[in-house]
Amino acid sequence: MKKIILYIFILFFSLSSCKKFLVEAPRTAQNSVDFFKTENDFNLAVNGAYAALRDIYGSKSSWLMGEMRSDNTHYDYKPSDGSLAVVQRSDAANFLNDKFSGQTSDKWVRAYVAISRANAILDQVDAASFSADSKRKIAGQAKFIRALSYFELVRYYGQVPIYVHLINNPDEIYVPKSSVAQVYDLIISDAKDAIEKLDAATFPQTGAATKGAALTLLADAYINLKRFPEAEPLLKEVTQQGYSLMANYADVFTPANKNNKESIFEIQYNSTLATPQSSNFIYNFIPRMSNSTAITGLNQNTITDLGGFNTPTQDLISSFETDDNRLPASIAIAEGTWNSSNDFVPASNTAGSAVKNIVGYTPPPGMTGRPFPKKFLHPHTLPNQTNNNWPVYRYAEVLLLLAETLNEQNKPVEALPYLNLVRDRAFGAGVSPVTTVDQTELRAIILHERRVELAFENKRWIDLVRTGNAISVMTAYGIAMKAANNYLPSNSFNITESSLLFPIPYTEIELNPLLE
């Protein structure tokens, strides 16, 4: 019975409907074996694979596991809300999660959906009857999507099963975990293949994967493996691909500037289509409130399982240097009060009236200020349907990765110009550049720079883990949090080596007896 259930489950996600990703198109329910015939069929399938990435990066598990697990963000505590989803999200932030959590299993499930869709394309594209050039581009995108999905899995879960073909037999489902090294070998192989097959970016970009995106992914994989000499030439090649920093940091995230010259790869959303493919990040990140008009300009009740998460911590806010323009662009203040139910009440419901600049903010008498990620607050037409894309790789991160790669090879003098390019934009003319050539000092500066530059982009937890700082940083942070918040249980933030990875979901272990 387990085999039948799992087989149906995988077939459903592997062969189910595809939604056009970059250009609007109707859904189709045709079987992939029958459907993938023409070039258009394969383009639809690629768009379906891109759509699966939305569920990896746009779902709650992405910011829960990438930001709330770290010292960057927390959540609004509401003792009367004991729903399973809320408790499980809080547990993940407090290091109390377990294998039964539906909130941390979501990334696992979504990643394998993307992988299965990529596999369906790769299994059939070579035999298709259309131009070799088109097949090259289609295969390159599928390889990139598969590599990116496995990269998410290996960093958050460690050893995971590898599937490189569409499952056609129930017995093919049951495979054991592969080693971390084996998963990285596949990521590296796929990324290299994608580099060879994909074209360099042309501007304006469409949102499809490019050679620059594949180069960045491969370099990132090497950096996670501490293979810095191999990452260096890849990142330097990206700097020759035509990318550059936007002049104004806040403009990077404006929906009107999607896929801009700083974008290496971002997850596409579009709220303007006849069948909207909207995002709603900001509604998760603002406080629980019965009417969100004072923040978003539109009335949405965010009290029930929607708002109150990914709240910037004072630890993060305090880490911004004076005059860093990224602070007011990244974080704003919601001004109001908390009622007896621990829900937020703005002073008025005038559109945007509760949004205040965080720099120098002091709440007026009787009011309080609650920070939220401003990066994803932009005008939109319908509540809970925004037009924001999700950034995966930006050129600013390429520069910081290159600075890190050079410093780790004991070449700090070469690293400084790349680091200071990012800082120059953040502080404007007259900024005092970083000049230290001490490798240890520069390592800490680069990690800090990544924290403030990439805040709320789901990089912080991974950065802490891969640099070996997770246990020390999060233990100290947990001590401070428990001292300041009496609702945190005494056994929270008990961080050990086993805390650095998330557990394989219990449902997967039950379905696949070869998983431990």
Side-chain angles (χ1 to χ4, degrees):
M1 179 57 111
K2 286 183 179 179
K3 283 188 177 182
I4 294 172
I5 293 172
L6 185 56
Y7 188 40
I8 292 172
F9 178 81
I10 291 185
L11 281 179
F12 173 78
F13 282 109
S14 297
L15 310 178
S16 62
S17 62
C18 294
K19 186 186 245 184
K20 184 83 170 173
F21 183 64
L22 303 176
V23 182
E24 182 186 9
R27 293 176 180 267
T28 175
Q30 289 176 278
N31 182 289
S32 66
V33 176
D34 299 327
F35 180 62
F36 298 166
K37 300 293 185 183
T38 68
E39 181 177 348
N40 184 62
D41 295 338
F42 277 92
N43 284 328
L44 286 171
V46 169
N47 289 328
Y50 278 121
L53 293 181
R54 286 200 205 110
D55 293 327
I56 300 175
Y57 288 92
S59 65
K60 295 178 177 64
S61 64
S62 62
W63 42 262
L64 170 61
M65 299 164 73
E67 294 286 349
M68 281 177 57
R69 184 72 159 188
S70 78
D71 52 351
N72 269 10
T73 67
H74 197 57
Y75 57 88
D76 295 338
Y77 176 63
K78 183 175 181 177
S80 62
D81 190 346
S83 67
L84 182 61
V86 170
V87 170
Q88 288 181 342
R89 280 177 220 156
S90 302
D91 282 348
N94 299 336
F95 291 83
L96 295 172
N97 59 290
D98 56 28
K99 63 185 178 182
F100 301 103
S101 173
Q103 300 299 305
T104 62
S105 66
D106 194 52
K107 184 183 289 290
W108 175 289
V109 173
R110 306 294 188 177
Y112 278 111
V113 171
I115 289 164
S116 68
R117 292 183 181 181
N119 285 343
I121 296 164
L122 293 168
D123 280 353
Q124 300 174 70
V125 68
D126 286 343
S129 299
F130 51 90
S131 75
D133 190 58
S134 293
K135 289 197 284 187
R136 166 184 65 84
K137 295 174 183 178
I138 288 168
Q141 292 176 85
K143 284 291 183 78
F144 174 82
I145 290 167
R146 188 169 72 180
L148 188 64
S149 300
Y150 274 117
F151 195 38
E152 281 288 291
L153 286 169
V154 75
R155 290 184 297 171
Y156 283 99
Y157 300 99
Q159 299 179 32
V160 299
I162 289 177
Y163 299 91
V164 293
H165 296 288
L166 188 64
I167 294 171
N168 295 307
N169 185 309
D171 292 336
E172 296 172 1
I173 297 169
Y174 301 100
V175 299
K177 292 183 294 184
S178 294
S179 69
V180 168
Q182 289 171 322
V183 180
Y184 269 106
D185 285 345
L186 176 60
I187 293 166
I188 291 167
S189 175
D190 276 356
K192 284 181 176 179
D193 205 15
I195 290 168
E196 293 300 316
K197 288 179 166 60
L198 294 173
D199 294 330
T202 56
F203 302 92
Q205 301 183 75
T206 64
T210 62
K211 184 183 183 76
L215 285 164
T216 304
L217 172 58
L218 180 56
D220 199 4
Y222 281 141
I223 289 169
N224 275 260
L225 293 170
K226 304 191 183 304
R227 292 163 60 174
F228 301 106
E230 292 166 275
E232 179 185 340
L234 300 169
L235 294 168
K236 285 183 174 178
E237 187 173 351
V238 177
T239 67
Q240 305 302 312
Q241 297 273 312
Y243 302 103
S244 61
L245 297 177
M246 298 283 283
N248 182 14
Y249 180 79
D251 290 345
V252 176
F253 310 99
T254 303
N257 297 328
K258 288 182 177 185
N259 308 308
N260 56 65
K261 62 184 179 180
E262 185 170 334
S263 172
I264 304 292
F265 186 70
E266 56 191 70
I267 306 301
Q268 307 294 304
Y269 291 86
N270 195 331
S271 64
T272 66
L273 299 177
T275 303
Q277 300 165 10
S278 307
S279 52
N280 72 338
F281 318 125
I282 191 63
Y283 287 92
N284 295 138
F285 303 160
I286 60 176
R288 287 185 173 97
M289 50 200 307
S290 62
N291 184 338
S292 65
T293 302
I295 296 179
T296 66
L298 297 167
N299 184 1
Q300 171 71 42
N301 187 322
T302 65
I303 291 176
T304 306
D305 192 29
L306 190 61
F309 297 100
N310 219 25
T311 307
T313 63
Q314 188 57 51
D315 191 274
L316 170 62
I317 295 168
S318 299
S319 73
F320 283 86
E321 299 167 70
T322 303
D323 298 327
D324 189 337
N325 293 320
R326 291 170 295 196
L327 174 58
S330 299
I331 304 173
I333 294 293
E335 185 176 86
T337 60
W338 298 98
N339 64 19
S340 59
S341 298
N342 291 90
D343 295 322
F344 190 79
V345 182
S348 75
N349 281 329
T350 304
S353 61
V355 180
K356 307 297 180 183
N357 191 326
I358 191 172
V359 178
Y361 175 78
T362 300
M367 292 288 171
T368 188
R370 189 275 205 183
F372 67 90
K374 188 185 178 186
K375 279 185 178 181
F376 305 104
L377 177 64
H378 298 101
H380 49 286
T381 304
L382 297 173
N384 205 33
Q385 293 188 27
T386 65
N387 203 30
N388 290 84
N389 282 357
W390 189 273
V392 176
Y393 286 122
R394 296 192 283 114
Y395 188 60
E397 183 173 12
V398 168
L399 297 173
L400 293 176
L401 287 173
L402 186 48
E404 179 180 348
T405 295
L406 292 165
N407 186 56
E408 292 301 327
Q409 296 176 80
N410 204 23
K411 297 189 278 189
V413 174
E414 295 181 43
L416 288 175
Y418 299 107
L419 169 65
N420 285 323
L421 271 175
V422 177
R423 288 178 58 80
D424 286 346
R425 178 182 57 184
F427 291 90
V431 62
S432 297
V434 174
T435 58
T436 182
V437 292
D438 180 272
Q439 185 187 44
T440 302
E441 290 180 2
L442 192 54
R443 181 181 292 128
I445 290 170
I446 293 170
L447 181 60
H448 167 265
E449 200 66 26
R450 285 183 59 84
R451 185 183 191 188
V452 294
E453 173 69 30
L454 305 171
F456 319 121
E457 296 176 41
N458 302 340
K459 306 288 184 177
R460 180 60 174 171
W461 171 248
I462 292 298
D463 279 353
L464 290 174
V465 173
R466 72 176 179 81
T467 59
N469 289 288
I471 293 176
S472 59
V473 167
M474 294 308 297
T475 297
Y477 167 79
I479 292 171
M481 286 292 287
K482 286 194 283 189
N485 301 288
N486 59 14
Y487 61 81
L488 292 171
S490 59
N491 63 334
S492 60
F493 292 96
N494 179 21
I495 304 157
T496 64
E497 285 291 329
S498 65
S499 308
L500 303 184
L501 293 172
F502 288 86
I504 293 177
Y506 174 76
T507 51
E508 301 296 322
I509 297 173
E510 283 290 286
L511 290 169
N512 183 355
L514 297 182
L515 291 180
E516 296 177 3

